[in-house]
Amino acid sequence: MTHVVGDWGFLNRLNKIIQTKSGHCVMLAIDHGYFGNIPGQLKQFSCLEPLYEYADALMLTRGMLRSCVPTNIDKPIILRVSAGASMLKELSNEEINVTINEALRLNVSALTCSIFVGGEYEKQSLLNLSKLVNWGQEYGIPTLAVTAVGRDMARDARYLGMASRMAAELGATMVKTYYCEDFEQVTGIAPVPVVIAGGQKIPEKDALQMSRNAIDKGAVGVDMGRNIFQSDSPIGMIQAVRAIVHENVTVEEAFEIYKNGPKGLL
Ligand code: 5RP
């Protein structure tokens, strides 16, 4: 059973992310550039703004927040505060790069970092998460742990379940992990809300099926990036994902929503 402990400020922040009506959430992930992963649409980042209204929360880095998100936005911010590695070197070699004062100044609703279970810098990444959890307890800020998957790590329920469970036991409020076969074993072993990452761009119907499966197998939502903004209809796609997450529609119904969406972002 999912049980979240916290005081008023902590729960107020969390309730802005996980919608109280459905118990679910759609996060728009736009933090890719922090380790040098710059997919197509991110080259014109400001044009992603039309997507923001369809997300329950934006997950991003502070540079992106400051330069690409209007200050009058009414969306909770999940701030990535880990950095220090690029795709050109060892990805697990991250540290926390944002102070708690800066996060508070940015009025964020949650903090996030990656953990690399089995990675070269596993310990460092787990202690990064612990640092965020400690800050979160002190300042009332939920933590989203991302179970990053290095080149040599399996994407199966055993590995992702273990990594998600570890994140929960270290005190993460929510876990973001990858969808896999037998995903109910991942959600079943992690006693906190779980969202799935979208991963690399796949055909729209497959991404919708993955979202449907994840919800059916106990995820509270998705934290999706490329499968939304690299779609030929990013607005149609985020609306379709939203319908699965919040309105429990079928994949066929969601696919119709996507097909009826405007082409491009304008
Ligand atoms: C990487 C991340 C990214 O935010 C996330 O995976 C990107 O979303 P998507 O895979 O859907 O493009 O946390 O560790």
Side-chain angles (χ1 to χ4, degrees):
M1 193 183 91
T2 298
H3 181 59
V4 176
V5 182
D7 66 7
W8 197 93
F10 185 98
L11 293 174
N12 178 256
R13 286 185 168 102
L14 185 60
N15 287 335
K16 286 180 182 157
I17 297 169
I18 300 179
Q19 306 298 290
T20 36
K21 195 167 162 204
S22 65
H24 288 170
C25 67
V26 174
M27 302 170 182
L28 179 65
I30 37 183
D31 63 332
H32 304 63
Y34 96 96
F35 62 95
N37 180 9
I38 321 284
Q41 284 284 6
L42 282 183
K43 290 179 183 135
Q44 306 102 34
F45 196 83
S46 58
C47 72
L48 296 186
E49 209 176 306
L51 293 174
Y52 299 167
E53 69 174 283
Y54 303 103
D56 297 314
L58 305 183
M59 180 219 192
L60 74 187
T61 52
R62 71 171 150 182
M64 284 306 194
L65 180 62
R66 282 217 166 90
S67 50
C68 303
V69 180
T71 50
N72 62 356
I73 197 165
D74 188 20
K75 295 288 170 185
I77 300 301
I78 303 173
L79 190 69
R80 176 174 280 282
V81 294
S82 61
S86 82
M87 289 170 77
L88 304 179
K89 287 187 100 175
E90 171 51 46
L91 272 180
S92 67
N93 193 4
E94 289 190 347
E95 292 187 25
I96 299 303
N97 71 322
V98 178
T99 63
I100 185 61
N101 284 346
E102 167 78 329
L104 292 170
R105 192 160 40 238
L106 292 169
N107 196 28
V108 305
S109 295
L111 300 170
T112 186
C113 72
S114 296
I115 60 168
F116 296 82
V117 174
E120 193 172 337
Y121 292 84
E122 172 187 75
K123 176 180 173 183
Q124 188 173 303
S125 73
L126 295 175
L127 293 180
N128 287 342
L129 173 61
S130 300
K131 186 173 194 172
L132 301 194
V133 171
N134 289 332
W135 280 346
Q137 290 304 118
E138 195 172 350
Y139 296 95
I141 304 184
T143 305
L144 172 70
V146 179
T147 67
V149 180
R151 271 182 285 276
D152 304 327
M153 295 171 206
R155 284 197 188 205
D156 59 22
R158 188 155 179 239
Y159 172 77
L160 295 172
M162 179 178 76
S164 299
R165 175 61 179 247
M166 285 177 69
E169 293 218 17
L170 291 177
T173 319
M174 303 165 274
V175 170
K176 167 177 170 172
T177 192
Y178 286 91
Y179 183 74
C180 63
E181 222 174 288
D182 303 319
F183 193 68
E184 68 280 2
Q185 292 177 16
V186 178
T187 54
I189 202 174
V192 295
V194 174
V195 296
I196 59 156
Q200 287 185 354
K201 175 80 177 68
I202 53 178
E204 278 75 5
K205 202 166 198 176
D206 294 349
L208 294 173
Q209 184 68 62
M210 180 173 69
S211 305
R212 180 71 267 168
N213 293 349
I215 297 294
D216 290 344
K217 294 183 176 195
V220 303
V222 303
D223 185 8
M224 197 174 266
R226 290 164 286 182
N227 277 291
I228 290 173
F229 58 72
Q230 289 188 317
S231 169
D232 59 351
S233 177
I235 291 176
M237 194 57 187
I238 196 169
Q239 287 176 326
V241 170
R242 227 189 137 70
I244 286 176
V245 170
H246 286 300
E247 291 155 37
N248 211 21
V249 302
T250 64
V251 173
E252 290 305 329
E253 288 168 326
F255 193 60
E256 281 304 305
I257 295 171
Y258 150 70
K259 280 199 301 191
N260 291 329
K263 294 291 176 211
L265 271 164
L266 297 177

